[in-house]
Amino acid sequence: MPRQDVLKELNLWPVWRQRAAAAPELAEGLDTAAASANVTENRRDAILRMDWSELKASVSGCTACRLHETRTQAVFGVGDEQADWLLVGEGPGAEEDKQGEPFVGQAGRLLDNMLAAIRLKRGRNAYIANAVKCRPPANRNPEADEVAACEPYLTRQIALIQPKLIIALGKVAAHRLLGTDSAIASLRGKLHQCQGITLIVTYHPAYLLRSLQDKARAWEDLCFAVRTMEGLQSATREP
Ligand code: URA
Ligand code: SF4
């Protein structure tokens, strides 16, 4: 996009003209901001057009946020690329960073058990991904700018998979997918929408490992998800 159009889109064009007249060096700063917005937009558009192999290559070489500096490898996601179920976590932990697969540590074992309880298995009609693809150092939560930088990858994964149901595991995933900052307690037990797909929120398995009293609630959420999926599958089944 030409600089003038980018500045217009950002509502900066009148400001730029004013500043260019008064102080050329200030206008340069605006040029830089517009250029970087331009790069970000082009990057997002390009990612949203990628096929699976382009997307995987792009994630593994990505340097779009500071998390690339400390990762061992990016963790793309795993499972059935035509799954009805998509489970979305927060970001890789130490074990995931080492192995390159999501949810393979302690929280992952609990997630596998939760999946088994509803007769699912990673790789069989289920796909597992994270809001950010690189491990935040010392297992801190990803920052908002990191989640934003990683947004196009998960958006593209959702568009390619076209699952029937998305399960957001925990606060970071729910906030990223729903664009809200409401508490998990108020998001659970309801049907939401993300990219035109039905979405249910539940607790993160790592949180459940620490907070046993919420395991019963997580079980309710899974039963709600199974009932919802049955409805969605019968709605799309051939008569
Ligand atoms: N926690 C997450 O949110 N994702 C993983 O992949 C592992 C732990
Ligand atoms: Fe890129 Fe996402 Fe990794 Fe950041 S977390 S470097 S945006 S892949």
Side-chain angles (χ1 to χ4, degrees), residues 56 75-79 100-102 127-130 133 157:
K56 285 171 193 170
V75 177
F76 181 75
V78 71
E101 185 170 329
Y127 194 96
I128 305 176
N130 280 310
K133 310 304 187 198
Q157 284 173 308

Side-chain angles (χ1 to χ4, degrees), residues 87 96 102-122 128 169 202-219 222:
L87 296 111
E96 290 77 19
F103 284 101
V104 288
Q106 218 191 348
R109 274 191 293 280
L110 178 55
L111 181 63
D112 282 336
N113 290 337
M114 290 161 68
L115 290 175
I118 55 171
R119 296 204 181 85
L120 284 178
K121 212 173 151 177
R122 70 172 62 207
I128 305 176
L169 301 165
T202 190
Y203 298 103
H204 192 285
Y207 165 80
L208 292 175
L209 289 170
R210 301 188 301 268
S211 169
L212 295 179
Q213 76 274 13
D214 282 323
K215 271 194 172 172
R217 292 201 180 95
W219 177 241
L222 285 182

Side-chain angles (χ1 to χ4, degrees), residues 3 17 21 26 41 45 55 59 63 71 78 90 100-101 131 135 137 142 163-164 168 191 217-218 226 233 238:
R3 178 187 71 198
R17 273 209 315 216
L26 285 181
E41 265 320 295
D45 287 348
L55 193 63
V59 167
T63 56
R71 73 178 176 215
V78 71
E90 180 177 316
E101 185 170 329
R135 182 194 180 205
K164 287 199 165 59
L191 296 180
R217 292 201 180 95
V226 169
Q233 284 172 337
E238 300 288 323

